[in-house]
Amino acid sequence: MKNVKEYIEANKDRFLNELIDLLKIPSISADTAFSQDVIDAARAVEKALKEAGCDTTEICETDGYPVVFGEKIVDPKLPTVLVYGHYDVQPPDPMNLWDSPPFEPVIKKTDLHPDGAIFARGACDDKGQFYMHVKAVEYMIKEDVLPCNVKFMIEGEEEVGSDSLEAFLDKNRDKLKNDVILISDTGMIANDVPSITTGLRGLSYVEVEVTGPNRDLHSGIYGGAVPNPINILSKMIASLHDENNRITIPGFYDKVEELSPEDRALMAEAPFNVEDYKKALDIGDVYGEKGYTTPERYSIRPTLDVNGIWGGYTGEGAKTVIASKAFAKISMRLVPDQDPDEITQLFMDHFMAIAPKGVKVKVKPHHGGLPYVTPIDNIGYQAAAKAYETTFGKIAIPERGGGSIPIVALFEQILDSKIILMGFGLDSDAIHSPNEHFGIWNYLKGIETIPYFYKYYTELATQQ
Amino acid sequence: MKNVKEYIEANKDRFLNELIDLLKIPSISADTAFSQDVIDAARAVEKALKEAGCDTTEICETDGYPVVFGEKIVDPKLPTVLVYGHYDVQPPDPMNLWDSPPFEPVIKKTDLHPDGAIFARGACDDKGQFYMHVKAVEYMIKEDVLPCNVKFMIEGEEEVGSDSLEAFLDKNRDKLKNDVILISDTGMIANDVPSITTGLRGLSYVEVEVTGPNRDLHSGIYGGAVPNPINILSKMIASLHDENNRITIPGFYDKVEELSPEDRALMAEAPFNVEDYKKALDIGDVYGEKGYTTPERYSIRPTLDVNGIWGGYTGEGAKTVIASKAFAKISMRLVPDQDPDEITQLFMDHFMAIAPKGVKVKVKPHHGGLPYVTPIDNIGYQAAAKAYETTFGKIAIPERGGGSIPIVALFEQILDSKIILMGFGLDSDAIHSPNEHFGIWNYLKGIETIPYFYKYYTELATQQ
C-alpha cells in the first residue's frame, strides 16, 4: 500500500469537501422537525458509496429511518468486512454556545489540532468517522488493492437508540453476512497515543415526570402547604446517590463485573493526568464513585446522570409560582454484565417507591443498550493493532471506553462476528457538545490506517 | 348609599366591558418583550381615572415603569384615602394550559362562580381588583356621595418587585399624603365567608446557577467522573429541607415570630377542610413543615419553594449529555420578624457553603419584601369590617394571608399610615396560574362594598 499516502495527498481537498457537504445536512434523528433532512442524509450516503465503487447500493426501509447498505464483492471465497456507522447526529442545542452555526462547517486550528479541525455537528460523531471508511474503500477499489469483500451498513437512528436495527439485522442475516465488523464511532487517547477501544458501556435512559397540584399555583397562597414537584424531584434525584456517590437503586450493582487488581493495574498504565483533565474542563475537582480512579469511573463503573431537568418558570425575571409538574431525563451507563432492560425496571420500581404520597410519578423508558467487551486475542483486534503500528509507528493501547453504541452487543449476538472499534477522534472533540469538531489530521490518518486493517485482516484470516 | 345597588345594576355591563378592555393589554412586566404593552396599560388606567371623575391625573415616570396617579380632593380638611393597585400582570406561561387565550377575556360559569367569572391573566391580580375602586369612586363622585378625599397610586412593577416604588414614595410624600391606604390585591375565604387580610408574608427571591465542566459533555465519555451540575443542584436543593420539612439554612428561623397557643386556636376557627383542599388540587396528601396545620403552613410559617429549574437537554427524545450549567429560581416566603435582605444573605452564604469543590455557584438576588401585619384595633380595619358587615350581612374574619405585596411594609414606613387589605378574590381564582379568573359577583360586590368603607372611615376619623 505504498501509494496510499500519495492517493490521500492527491485527493485530500476533495475528501474534505465531500465530508463538509455531508455535514451541512442537519440530520437530527431526535427531532421530528428534521426528518426530511435525515432522509436527505441517507440519500447522500448512498450516492457516496456508489461513487466510492460499491457495485451494489441500497436504501433499506425500516420502521424508522432507513439503513444505507452498500457492498463490493471481490471474491465470495475471501473474507468480508462489514463497516457500521451512522449518518444521524445529536441535537445541536444549546445553540447559543456554538462559535459558528452547527450545520455550516468551518475549519479552524486548535492546540490539539494544529493542522485544523472541521467544526460542525456530526464532524466526529459519526459522519466524519464513517466517511473515513468510504474514502479508504474508494482508495482500495480505485487503486485495485482491495484484498477482500466489504459491506457497509450506515444507519440513521444511532443517536436515538437504533430502534429499527435489531429487526433489520434479523431480516438481513444473509445480506449482512461477514467475518468481522469494523466501526469508527469511538475515540483514541491522543494523536501520539493511538488506542483501540476494547469495551463499551451499556445504557439505560428514562424520562421522569413528577406531578404535584393539578395546576400551577401561587407560591404565596399555597407555598409551604402543598407538594412542590420541583423540590420533590430534586429530593428524589439527590437520593439516587449515597455519600460515596454510589447509586442507591436496590440491585443496581448486583451484576457489575468487578475487575481484578491485575486488570486495574493494567488500566492504570494508560497515560492519564488528572490535573490536565481538571484544567481542560475547568473543574475544581473530579467527582465520582469513592474508591475508583477517574479513568475507572468513566469506563469500568456504571453511572447515573441527569441529562436534562425542567419545570416551573424558566423565563426572564421572577415568577412566584409552584409548578404542577417537573421533569427530568436520566441516563445510566452500564458495564458488563448489567442488562439495560433489567436496570430500567429496577430504576422504575425504585423511583416509584421513593415518591412521597403527595405526588404522582411517571417513568418513561427511552432507549437502552448492552455493554460490550472485545477480546484482544482475536485476529480482528490483531489486524487493527498491526494497522495502527504501521501508520502511527507505535503500539496501540487497548482501552475500555465509557460511551455506548447500544447496537454493538446485538451485532455479535445476531451476526455472530466480533466487533473492532477503531476510533480516530479525541475525547476533546466535543461530540454531543457545542463546537463539535474532528481533526483533519485524524480524518486523513484514519483513511490511511484503515486499508492496512483490510490487508492484515485478510492475511491473518486466510492463513488460518 | 341606598342607590349604590341601583347604580351598579344600571352600569354593570359597562363596568364589565371596561375591565375586559383593560385585560386585553398584555402588560407583562417580567418580560421586556411586552414593555410597550405595559406603557399602554398605564395610559388606559390614567384615562379610566379621568373618566371616573378625578380632577387631577398623571402618569409619573420612574426608573422603571410609570406610576399612574389620580386624585379627587373634596375638602383638604377631610381625611384622605390612598388606593394602591398594580396594572402589570404575571407572565401567562405555561400557555398550553390555558383553555382560552390569556389576553382574550371570556366569561364562563364555574361551581364557585355561578354568575360567571372573567377568565384572563390579571382578571383578579390585580386589574379586576383595583378597577373595583375606580368604579366605586366613579359612583361616589357621580352620585355626589364621596365623603372624603381619594388618591390613586397604580403601579406597573408589582409582579417584579416594585423596584422603583420606594424612590417614588420618597420623592412624593406630600403628593401621596393620606390617612389610610386601601388595597384590594388579596383574597377572601369564600363568597359567603368574607374575610379581611391582616397579615402578609414577606419574600426573598433568588436565582442560582451551578457550573460544572466548562462545556456540555458526552455523558458516556465523562459520565461518572465529572461533577454533573444538575445532579449537584438537585442535591443542594434537596438539602435545604430536613426530614421534618424545616428549612436548614442556619439562622433562617431566628427571627420568626411564634404565635401563642391562643392565636393559633383563633386561627383554627376559620373554616378549612383539608379533604376539600386535597381534592381541589388533586393531591394525594398535603406536604409541609411538621407540627403545623395546612392554614398555618401557608400563612404564619416561612417557606422555601423552587419556582423554576432548568438545565441540560429538555427537547424531544434522548440526548446523552452532561450539561455545563444548571439553574433554579428559588423563593422564600417570610413572616414577622424576618428581614428579606438578611434572609437573602443567609441563603447566599449557605448555598455557597454547601457547594461541592467541583462546581462554581452563583446566587443572584431578585426582589424581596418585608412581611406585614395590620393591627385590627385601628379605625381603618373597623371601617372595613363595618363595610363587609353591611353588604355581606356577616362579620368578616381577620385572616393572615400567605402571599406577599412586597411594598406594603414600605408604605407604613414612608407614608406613615396603616394599610387595609380588602380582597374580593378567591384562592381558587388561579392567580399566577393558567386560567386566572375573577368572579363577576365578586367584582360587583367589591364595587358595592368599597363606598361603605369611605363612609364609615370618614365617620370614625372625624369623630376622633
Side-chain angles (χ1 to χ4, degrees):
Chain A
M1 309 225 164
K2 274 173 245 58
N3 60 349
V4 61
K5 280 199 161 116
E6 291 82 340
Y7 189 87
I8 291 168
E9 189 53 38
N11 295 281
K12 68 172 187 228
D13 292 348
R14 177 172 57 84
F15 288 177
L16 275 177
N17 293 333
E18 287 176 15
L19 175 56
I20 284 169
D21 287 341
L22 184 60
L23 290 169
K24 287 178 180 169
I25 306 170
S27 48
I28 305 162
S29 51
D31 187 342
T32 49
F34 293 87
S35 47
Q36 185 54 52
D37 301 291
V38 182
I39 303 295
D40 293 346
R43 295 215 179 90
V45 171
E46 190 202 15
K47 185 162 166 291
L49 291 178
K50 203 179 257 100
E51 290 169 355
C54 288
D55 32 42
T56 315
T57 65
E58 181 184 355
I59 291 180
C60 311
E61 292 312 321
T62 71
D63 291 344
Y65 289 118
V67 174
V68 183
F69 178 81
E71 67 179 0
K72 172 75 178 179
I73 304 301
V74 177
D75 174 350
K77 289 189 290 317
L78 284 167
T80 299
V81 176
L82 174 64
V83 175
Y84 165 82
H86 61 94
Y87 59 82
D88 63 321
V89 301
Q90 277 278 313
D93 48 291
M95 294 292 285
N96 58 315
L97 296 183
W98 283 79
D99 299 331
S100 55
F103 298 107
E104 296 172 26
V106 294
I107 293 174
K108 283 183 288 186
K109 289 181 165 45
T110 72
D111 295 349
L112 291 174
H113 298 299
D115 300 344
I118 307 172
F119 284 75
R121 168 58 81 227
C124 182
D125 177 16
D126 181 46
K127 286 173 175 172
Q129 291 219 80
F130 86 72
Y131 209 71
M132 295 184 306
H133 292 268
V134 180
K135 296 296 98 181
V137 167
E138 172 198 305
Y139 151 73
M140 291 186 281
I141 292 173
K142 300 275 191 282
E143 297 292 303
D144 202 20
V145 291
L146 179 64
C148 63
N149 307 309
V150 57
K151 296 178 178 178
F152 286 91
M153 170 173 65
I154 313 299
E155 72 151 316
E157 298 184 308
E158 197 274 344
E159 299 294 4
V160 288
S162 304
D163 291 340
S164 312
L165 204 54
E166 180 168 3
F168 177 79
L169 297 175
D170 248 336
K171 271 205 244 94
N172 297 280
R173 288 165 190 266
D174 288 346
K175 174 187 240 157
L176 301 172
K177 199 170 181 326
N178 67 83
D179 299 278
V180 65
I181 297 169
L182 188 57
I183 302 177
S184 295
D185 195 17
T186 52
M188 61 182 185
I189 293 171
N191 286 1
D192 57 354
V193 186
S195 57
I196 301 170
T197 302
T198 55
L200 290 167
R201 291 196 284 191
L203 183 69
S204 163
Y205 199 113
V206 298
E207 187 164 323
V208 300
E209 173 188 307
V210 175
T211 304
N214 53 4
R215 65 179 194 275
D216 286 6
L217 299 175
H218 184 294
S219 72
I221 297 173
Y222 292 92
V226 299
N228 178 325
I230 304 177
N231 289 65
I232 287 169
L233 175 59
S234 301
K235 235 189 171 72
M236 293 171 75
I237 289 169
S239 78
L240 296 174
H241 288 90
D242 68 14
E243 65 284 4
N244 295 325
N245 274 307
R246 277 178 68 87
I247 293 151
T248 55
I249 298 166
F252 184 83
Y253 290 98
D254 288 359
K255 296 192 175 171
V256 171
E257 164 212 69
E258 293 288 344
L259 265 64
S260 66
E262 296 69 31
D263 290 343
R264 291 180 67 181
L266 201 66
M267 271 193 73
E269 286 172 16
F272 178 80
N273 181 314
V274 72
E275 289 312 317
D276 294 350
Y277 187 81
K278 282 155 61 176
K279 202 149 145 282
L281 300 174
D282 188 22
I283 50 176
D285 202 357
V286 292
Y287 194 91
E289 185 182 0
K290 196 175 174 188
Y292 293 90
T293 66
T294 294
E296 287 172 337
R297 286 168 172 173
Y298 64 63
S299 64
I300 62 165
R301 299 301 298 169
T303 69
L304 185 151
D305 274 299
V306 181
N307 303 111
I309 192 165
W310 68 103
Y313 182 66
T314 60
E316 197 186 337
K319 186 177 198 292
T320 49
V321 66
I322 292 176
S324 172
K325 291 176 185 292
F327 304 83
K329 294 176 192 269
I330 300 174
S331 67
M332 288 157 283
R333 296 282 169 175
L334 311 179
V335 300
D337 301 311
Q338 291 178 297
D339 174 77
D341 297 336
E342 196 178 319
I343 292 295
T344 300
Q345 192 57 53
L346 288 176
F347 177 93
M348 291 171 94
D349 297 343
H350 179 64
F351 207 71
M352 294 299 196
I354 62 176
K357 205 167 144 223
V359 298
K360 302 179 193 66
V361 172
K362 279 190 208 157
V363 181
K364 173 176 142 207
H366 279 294
H367 62 282
L370 285 160
Y372 179 75
V373 173
T374 296
I376 69 172
D377 56 6
N378 75 82
I379 61 168
Y381 184 88
Q382 290 159 13
K386 287 184 74 174
Y388 278 95
E389 197 176 346
T390 306
T391 57
F392 284 79
K394 298 192 171 175
I395 306 285
I397 295 169
E399 190 198 29
R400 286 274 289 266
S404 308
I405 309 178
I407 208 66
V408 163
L410 268 180
F411 288 158
E412 182 162 5
Q413 285 173 18
I414 299 177
L415 302 179
D416 187 36
S417 45
K418 291 270 168 266
I419 293 88
I420 306 305
L421 300 161
M422 291 175 73
F424 292 89
L426 302 183
D427 285 356
S428 52
D429 287 346
I431 69 172
H432 291 211
S433 305
N435 305 312
E436 175 180 355
H437 55 282
F438 187 35
I440 291 171
W441 183 89
N442 304 67
Y443 177 55
L444 300 176
K445 200 68 175 175
I447 298 171
E448 178 191 346
T449 306
I450 288 161
Y452 288 97
F453 172 84
Y454 285 76
K455 176 177 187 291
Y456 297 127
Y457 183 80
T458 309
E459 288 171 7
L460 290 163
T462 47
Q463 277 162 24
Q464 288 183 324
Chain B
M1 308 227 165
K2 278 174 240 59
N3 58 349
V4 62
K5 282 198 158 122
E6 290 83 340
Y7 189 87
I8 291 167
E9 190 53 40
N11 294 281
K12 67 174 190 228
D13 293 348
R14 178 172 57 85
F15 288 176
L16 274 176
N17 292 331
E18 287 176 15
L19 175 56
I20 284 169
D21 286 343
L22 185 59
L23 290 169
K24 288 177 179 168
I25 306 171
S27 47
I28 305 163
S29 51
D31 187 341
T32 48
F34 294 86
S35 46
Q36 185 53 52
D37 301 292
V38 182
I39 303 295
D40 294 346
R43 297 216 179 90
V45 172
E46 190 202 15
K47 185 162 166 289
L49 291 178
K50 202 178 260 100
E51 290 169 353
C54 288
D55 31 43
T56 314
T57 66
E58 180 184 356
I59 292 181
C60 311
E61 293 310 320
T62 71
D63 291 346
Y65 288 118
V67 175
V68 182
F69 177 82
E71 67 179 0
K72 172 75 179 179
I73 304 301
V74 177
D75 175 349
K77 289 189 288 321
L78 285 168
T80 300
V81 176
L82 174 63
V83 175
Y84 165 83
H86 61 94
Y87 59 83
D88 64 320
V89 301
Q90 278 276 314
D93 49 292
M95 294 290 284
N96 60 313
L97 295 185
W98 284 78
D99 299 330
S100 56
F103 298 106
E104 296 172 27
V106 294
I107 292 173
K108 282 183 290 187
K109 288 182 165 46
T110 73
D111 294 350
L112 292 175
H113 298 297
D115 299 345
I118 307 173
F119 283 75
R121 168 58 83 227
C124 183
D125 178 15
D126 181 48
K127 286 173 175 172
Q129 291 218 80
F130 86 73
Y131 209 71
M132 296 183 305
H133 292 268
V134 180
K135 295 296 98 180
V137 167
E138 171 198 304
Y139 152 72
M140 290 186 281
I141 293 172
K142 300 275 192 283
E143 298 290 303
D144 202 17
V145 292
L146 179 64
C148 63
N149 308 310
V150 57
K151 296 177 179 180
F152 286 92
M153 171 174 64
I154 312 299
E155 71 152 318
E157 298 183 311
E158 198 273 345
E159 299 295 4
V160 288
S162 304
D163 292 340
S164 313
L165 204 53
E166 181 168 2
F168 178 79
L169 297 174
D170 249 335
K171 269 203 247 99
N172 298 279
R173 288 167 190 264
D174 288 345
K175 174 187 242 160
L176 301 172
K177 198 167 179 331
N178 67 83
D179 299 278
V180 66
I181 297 168
L182 188 57
I183 304 177
S184 296
D185 195 16
T186 52
M188 60 182 186
I189 293 171
N191 286 3
D192 57 354
V193 187
S195 57
I196 300 170
T197 303
T198 54
L200 291 167
R201 290 195 286 190
L203 183 69
S204 164
Y205 199 114
V206 298
E207 186 163 323
V208 301
E209 173 188 306
V210 175
T211 304
N214 54 4
R215 65 178 194 276
D216 286 7
L217 300 174
H218 184 294
S219 72
I221 296 172
Y222 292 92
V226 299
N228 178 326
I230 303 177
N231 288 66
I232 287 170
L233 175 58
S234 300
K235 234 188 172 69
M236 292 170 76
I237 289 170
S239 78
L240 296 176
H241 287 90
D242 69 12
E243 66 283 5
N244 296 325
N245 275 307
R246 277 178 68 87
I247 293 151
T248 56
I249 298 167
F252 184 84
Y253 290 98
D254 288 359
K255 296 193 176 170
V256 170
E257 161 212 69
E258 295 286 343
L259 266 65
S260 68
E262 296 67 33
D263 290 343
R264 291 180 67 180
L266 201 67
M267 272 193 71
E269 286 173 14
F272 178 81
N273 181 313
V274 72
E275 290 312 316
D276 294 349
Y277 187 81
K278 283 155 61 175
K279 200 149 146 279
L281 300 173
D282 189 23
I283 51 177
D285 201 356
V286 292
Y287 194 90
E289 185 182 1
K290 198 174 170 187
Y292 293 91
T293 67
T294 293
E296 287 171 336
R297 287 168 172 172
Y298 64 62
S299 64
I300 62 164
R301 299 301 298 170
T303 68
L304 185 151
D305 274 299
V306 181
N307 303 111
I309 192 166
W310 68 103
Y313 182 66
T314 60
E316 197 185 341
K319 186 177 199 286
T320 50
V321 67
I322 292 176
S324 171
K325 291 177 184 291
F327 304 83
K329 294 176 192 269
I330 300 175
S331 67
M332 289 157 282
R333 296 284 170 174
L334 312 180
V335 300
D337 300 310
Q338 291 177 298
D339 174 77
D341 297 337
E342 196 179 320
I343 293 294
T344 301
Q345 193 56 52
L346 288 176
F347 177 94
M348 291 172 97
D349 297 344
H350 179 65
F351 206 72
M352 293 301 197
I354 61 176
K357 207 168 143 221
V359 298
K360 300 178 193 68
V361 172
K362 279 191 208 153
V363 182
K364 174 177 139 210
H366 279 293
H367 61 279
L370 284 159
Y372 179 75
V373 173
T374 296
I376 68 172
D377 56 7
N378 74 82
I379 61 169
Y381 184 88
Q382 290 160 8
K386 287 184 72 173
Y388 279 96
E389 197 176 344
T390 305
T391 57
F392 285 79
K394 295 190 175 178
I395 305 285
I397 296 170
E399 190 198 28
R400 287 274 288 268
S404 307
I405 309 177
I407 209 66
V408 163
L410 268 178
F411 287 157
E412 181 161 4
Q413 284 173 22
I414 300 178
L415 302 181
D416 186 36
S417 46
K418 291 270 169 268
I419 294 88
I420 306 305
L421 301 162
M422 292 176 72
F424 292 89
L426 302 183
D427 285 357
S428 53
D429 286 346
I431 70 173
H432 290 212
S433 305
N435 305 314
E436 175 180 355
H437 55 282
F438 188 34
I440 291 172
W441 183 90
N442 303 68
Y443 177 56
L444 300 177
K445 200 68 175 175
I447 299 171
E448 178 190 345
T449 306
I450 290 162
Y452 288 98
F453 172 84
Y454 284 75
K455 175 177 188 295
Y456 297 128
Y457 182 80
T458 309
E459 289 172 5
L460 290 164
T462 46
Q463 276 161 27
Q464 288 183 320

